[in-house]
Amino acid sequence: VLVPLSPAFSHGSSAEEFFLPVLTLGLWIVLRAMQKKRPLTDRQGLILGLCAAAALWTKYTFCGLFAGLALAVILWYALDGMARHLPRLIAFFLLGLAALSVLVAAWFYCRGALPDLWQAYFVNNLSQYAHNIRSGAYDPPLKNLLNNLTWSLPGALGLLWLLATGKQHAREAMACLLGAVCLFVFTYLNGRRYPYYALVLSVFAPLGLAAVCAGIRRLLPAQAGRRALAAA
């Protein structure tokens, strides 16, 4: 409800709108593993690779979240003495990335459109969108977030809550912070700030709802808190 009511939901059928479930899935997989304090499984690594490939072939900017999550996972494994599991995880991630990429390339190859794919999606996209950076015409993106307080405020609240809980959610806070920063940078690096660009950052809004639920459980007696959450 909060997301469609925001100005970033400026029109239907945007890539940002359709891709929110994929971004949410990637974020949820990593946070769930961190919460359980268990390494990511082969299947989860494969799914994350598929999600990252979908991001790559939908819109480059979406890769920001997966870049941030990848950094967070590497740091998590290093800090928790699980570095020996990284090579296998990376292998399954790359397998998922390659599998979907091969399917996309095969589809264009069968239609004799590989040169068009290269020209339109890579050459034209990268050269045209880089024009604003070269010319120095950069529009500050902060206005995008301030215009979408219905979900940017809960997202910021959730990040602050994770940071404030210290050791309890240190790994999750690191993943969300790196994911949010990288997604923000990737989204606005080209110098443009169309209203719908900010929509992908609404993936962090549920963190605010989690913070509210955690606050209710602390303020109310245990039994009353459970009843309130059940009613909600």
Side-chain angles (χ1 to χ4, degrees), residues 65-89:
L65 177 66
F66 298 100
L69 292 179
L71 289 174
V73 168
I74 291 172
L75 290 173
W76 169 38
Y77 276 45
L79 292 171
D80 287 10
M82 301 187 299
R84 66 185 185 279
H85 297 294
L86 268 177
R88 185 178 179 90
L89 175 63

Side-chain angles (χ1 to χ4, degrees), residues 59 76 85 104 131 177 200 232:
K59 199 168 185 178
W76 169 38
H85 297 294
V104 172
H131 175 70
L177 192 58
V200 288

Side-chain angles (χ1 to χ4, degrees), residues 40 65 199:
L40 290 158
L65 177 66
L199 191 62

Side-chain angles (χ1 to χ4, degrees), residues 8-19 58-59 62 196 199:
F9 200 86
S10 59
H11 57 79
S13 303
S14 68
E16 284 76 5
E17 174 193 349
F18 283 121
F19 211 76
T58 303
K59 199 168 185 178
F62 299 164
Y196 61 88
L199 191 62

Side-chain angles (χ1 to χ4, degrees), residues 105-128:
W107 192 91
F108 280 90
Y109 174 78
C110 291
R111 285 154 180 77
L114 274 179
D116 297 320
L117 171 65
W118 173 256
Q119 182 65 38
Y121 192 62
F122 291 99
V123 177
N124 292 352
N125 263 343
L126 293 175
S127 61
Q128 291 178 12

